[in-house]
């Protein structure tokens, strides 16, 4: 056995627990097993781990790998993106940052008042790339429900990708459901071959949505940036809201603007650096 030391910065975006591990100048090879061990250790628990790796091209600050606390990978993490953008801007003294993720390039910039805006790119409604197991003709036709067929508790979500898969169920009261019970069932429903982030969304005005999220690979979180984007886009597409809305999560509000000119979704919100630390995780020695 060997026990590499992993240095981290514990941050959060609206209470979404983010651990930043900077491997831009470190050759440590993280495995999903190590990620789970870091998540289980006392001070380094997290919802998502943002791993910074050396950039592959000029003009990019870092390649980013995003892990959930169960060791699985994701293509997007909006709240984590604001955290790493803040760190890079502090480091460079600049007012913008660019990252490469599994889902593509990610730009972020200083929005003033301690807030950061992340360009989350365009939403994707294509069932094959969300991905869903089968086509659905529009957002109403998806065969997905919890509860008996004649009186389902939840049904007919909107589904889309923001670089990661999301299903949004429209409800009158987000507090009326036990998301910790139904979340895992929906996350692992066969219609989502790569699982999905599950949201309950309550539209409260033309400019406001209240949201609770059960995250794929992480469970209930205080906030999920990509889910806020997905809910805002889905609500505007259903003509329930304008394209610019405030999405309020248990951790607080995010501003979401689905920009008309280029279809990109802009997310604006806060970030926080809590403390720095290091953790040693025992791993099987690499094969000789
Ligand atoms: N908390 C994140 C999303 C994490 C993504 C993840 N749970 C998945 O897609 O597997 C956010 O702020 O967007």
């Amino acid at each position: 056995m060997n026990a590499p030391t992993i240095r981290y910065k514990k941050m959060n975006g609206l209470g979404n627990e983010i651990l930043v591990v900077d491997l831009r100048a470190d050759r440590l090879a993280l495995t999903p097993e190590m990620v789970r061990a870091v998540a289980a250790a006392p001070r380094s628990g997290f919802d998502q781990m943002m791993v910074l790796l050396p950039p592959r091209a000029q003009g990019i600050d870092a390649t980013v790998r995003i892990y959930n606390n169960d060791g699985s990978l994701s293509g997007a993490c909006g709240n984590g993106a604001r955290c790493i953008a803040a760190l890079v801007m502090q480091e460079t003294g600049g007012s913008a940052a660019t990252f490469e993720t599994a889902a593509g390039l990610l730009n972020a910039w200083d929005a003033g008042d301690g807030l950061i805006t992340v360009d989350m790119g365009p939403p994707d409604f294509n069932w094959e790339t969300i991905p869903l197991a089968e086509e659905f003709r529009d957002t109403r036709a998806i065969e997905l429900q919890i509860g008996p067929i004649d009186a389902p508790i939840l049904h007919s979500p909107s589904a889309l990708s923001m670089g990661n898969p999301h299903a949004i169920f429209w409800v009158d009261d987000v507090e009326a459901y036990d998301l910790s019970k139904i979340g895992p069932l929906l996350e692992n429903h066969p219609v989502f071959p790569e699982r999905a982030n599950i949201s309950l969304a309550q539209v409260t005005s033309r400019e406001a949505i209240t949201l609770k999220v059960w995250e794929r690979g992480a469970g209930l979180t205080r906030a999920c940036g990509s889910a806020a984007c997905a809910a805002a886009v889905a609500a505007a597409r259903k003509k329930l809201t304008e394209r610019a809305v405030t999405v309020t999560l248990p951790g607080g509000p995010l501003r979401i603007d689905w920009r008309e000119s280029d279809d990109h979704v802009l997310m604006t919100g806060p970030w926080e650096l809590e403390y720095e630390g290091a953790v040693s995780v025992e791993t099987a020695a690499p094969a000789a």
Side-chain angles (χ1 to χ4, degrees), residues 13 16-18 47-48 66-68 70 72-82 120 163-166 187 194-197 214-219 221 223-228 254 267:
N16 188 185
E17 308 294 347
I18 305 294
D47 299 322
Q48 275 79 42
I66 304 164
Y67 285 100
N68 291 308
D70 73 349
S72 63
L73 286 164
S74 179
C77 177
N79 292 325
R82 292 197 311 282
M120 300 284 287
N164 56 349
H166 289 275
E187 173 193 1
E194 294 179 13
R195 303 188 284 160
N197 297 288
W214 174 269
E215 285 195 31
R216 173 179 74 165
T221 56
C224 178
S226 52
L254 287 172
M267 175 202 63

Side-chain angles (χ1 to χ4, degrees), residues 144-156 169-173 176-178 181-182 185-186 200:
L144 174 57
Q145 62 179 44
I146 286 283
I149 203 143
D150 48 347
I153 302 168
L154 286 173
H155 61 95
S156 311
F169 290 86
W170 306 100
V171 298
D172 291 334
D173 177 7
Y177 303 86
D178 187 351
K181 286 229 170 67
I182 57 183
L185 302 173
L186 293 166
L200 299 180

